[in-house]
Amino acid sequence: MSDGLPRSPARAYAVAVTDRTPPGAYQNPAPRGFRAYPGNSRPGVRELYRLQHRHQTVEFVKAKRREYLSLDRRRMGIWEAIKFLDRLVDDSDPDTELSQLEHLLQTAEAARRAGHPRWFIVTALVHDLGKILCLFGEPQWAVVGDTFPVGCRFSEQAIYHEFFADNPDARVPAYSTRLGIYEEGGGLDDVLMSWGHDEYLYHVVKDHLPDEALYVIRYHSFYAAHREGAYDYLMNDRDRQMLAWVRTFSTFDLYSKGDDSPDLVDQRPYFEILTSEFFPTELSW
């Protein structure tokens, strides 16, 4: 991903150690019914998606990008953001009621045990830090949950797709066709995704991680694409290659979840050293 900006020493290091070979074919182990929509969802999951699908319009997304992507809310380190997530339970997640801090530690530790490169492990640790948008007063339907393109026809492969019927953009002719405002094969870089923690965190950390890590952060909640195969006509060859990393990451994001809380005291020293390799003391949020 070329952003025209000079790479920091941390990002240059990350690129140097990146395994550039995309992982093999995605295998979905599907243990004990993760992402059990809709029948086994926790109370409130359905309501969150009703609100998300109703309110995430082109104009809403553009407004939130203007509001937040100047990154002038506060200066904050990675661990300050991680500790905030100890107070947050993701209302869109039907699989766990652990805090988001615990989820991040579970995901990162699973990637570490599997022997993935350090950039992949640190990505697992920070991938949901964009959820600090809740700290700034955003409702969870504008922060968490599956993401999807706006400005084109909503896919039936999206979770609770029936709620898109209440989205005003569904009645705008320019946004209601297969391609909408986009070009066939133009690539996801030029697609407006629903607003949430993925896109926000991508902009916060984009100068500090390799392209593969940034792609995982930006699209890890785009389940309609990387799990169901939807929206392929919006993608280019780079997207299809990078999605292999997202699918591999998803096996840790989903299937590391359990009911036992991870040991922050035991694990933090390793992860503090890891984060210091990639990130400065403070970031702009």
Side-chain angles (χ1 to χ4, degrees):
M1 186 177 301
S2 176
D3 49 29
L5 296 173
R7 297 182 188 277
S8 67
R11 186 171 178 182
Y13 167 80
V15 171
V17 301
T18 297
D19 178 0
R20 291 292 182 181
T21 303
Y26 174 55
Q27 299 294 322
N28 180 4
R32 71 177 184 89
F34 285 93
R35 283 182 61 84
Y37 300 103
N40 298 324
S41 297
R42 291 189 294 109
V45 173
R46 181 181 174 87
E47 176 62 11
L48 181 141
Y49 277 106
R50 186 188 70 81
L51 293 170
Q52 184 206 60
H53 290 2
R54 165 65 178 79
H55 294 294
Q56 290 271 3
T57 64
V58 169
E59 289 308 312
F60 175 84
V61 170
K62 288 181 176 180
K64 289 302 175 184
R65 291 173 66 90
R66 290 192 298 269
E67 183 177 357
Y68 284 106
L69 294 190
S70 58
L71 303 180
D72 57 2
R73 293 276 167 159
R74 65 170 60 189
R75 296 281 297 174
M76 181 166 51
I78 288 291
W79 282 93
E80 186 178 351
I82 287 175
K83 285 191 289 184
F84 165 73
L85 292 190
D86 196 29
R87 310 200 303 268
L88 180 67
V89 174
D90 186 336
D91 287 344
S92 73
D93 192 338
D95 300 324
T96 183
E97 295 188 20
L98 293 180
S99 76
Q100 288 297 284
L101 181 152
E102 293 167 314
H103 165 59
L104 292 181
L105 288 174
Q106 284 179 334
T107 307
E109 183 62 20
R112 176 188 179 187
R113 290 196 304 268
H116 277 285
R118 293 173 76 77
W119 72 261
F120 190 97
I121 300 168
V122 80
T123 300
L125 182 67
V126 306
H127 74 279
D128 276 344
L129 289 189
K131 292 177 182 179
I132 69 160
L133 284 167
C134 293
L135 174 66
F136 304 143
E138 288 297 317
Q140 286 211 22
W141 61 260
V143 178
V144 304
D146 291 15
T147 57
F148 49 86
V150 297
C152 63
R153 182 186 302 151
F154 300 115
S155 172
E156 293 186 1
Q157 299 301 315
I159 292 297
Y160 290 116
H161 63 86
E162 64 272 19
F163 290 140
F164 287 122
D166 293 330
N167 189 301
D169 283 358
R171 296 180 290 279
V172 176
Y175 302 154
S176 302
T177 64
R178 174 174 168 270
L179 291 176
I181 60 176
Y182 310 113
E183 296 182 0
E184 183 103 21
L188 294 183
D189 280 354
D190 293 330
V191 170
L192 276 177
M193 298 294 294
S194 55
W195 176 251
H197 70 281
D198 302 49
E199 184 70 13
Y200 175 60
L201 183 65
Y202 161 76
H203 287 275
V204 172
V205 302
K206 68 180 182 179
D207 297 336
H208 306 289
L209 293 172
D211 290 348
E212 292 85 348
L214 296 175
Y215 199 93
V216 166
I217 286 169
R218 199 174 198 182
Y219 298 111
H220 71 272
S221 300
F222 192 11
Y223 283 96
H226 68 73
R227 185 180 175 96
E228 307 298 338
Y231 296 107
D232 181 75
Y233 44 85
L234 297 179
M235 300 180 193
N236 56 26
D237 289 342
R238 176 180 177 276
D239 290 313
R240 297 184 185 97
Q241 181 181 33
M242 287 291 197
L243 279 174
W245 283 114
V246 181
R247 292 181 178 116
T248 293
F249 173 79
S250 185
T251 65
F252 296 94
D253 189 14
L254 288 178
Y255 307 129
S256 64
K257 294 175 185 175
D259 297 326
D260 296 330
S261 298
D263 188 340
L264 177 60
V265 173
D266 179 64
Q267 295 173 354
R268 179 164 175 166
Y270 168 82
F271 288 122
E272 282 189 331
I273 293 171
L274 183 67
T275 54
S276 70
E277 293 176 6
F278 290 88
F279 299 109
T281 303
E282 291 185 334
L283 293 164
S284 295
W285 300 80

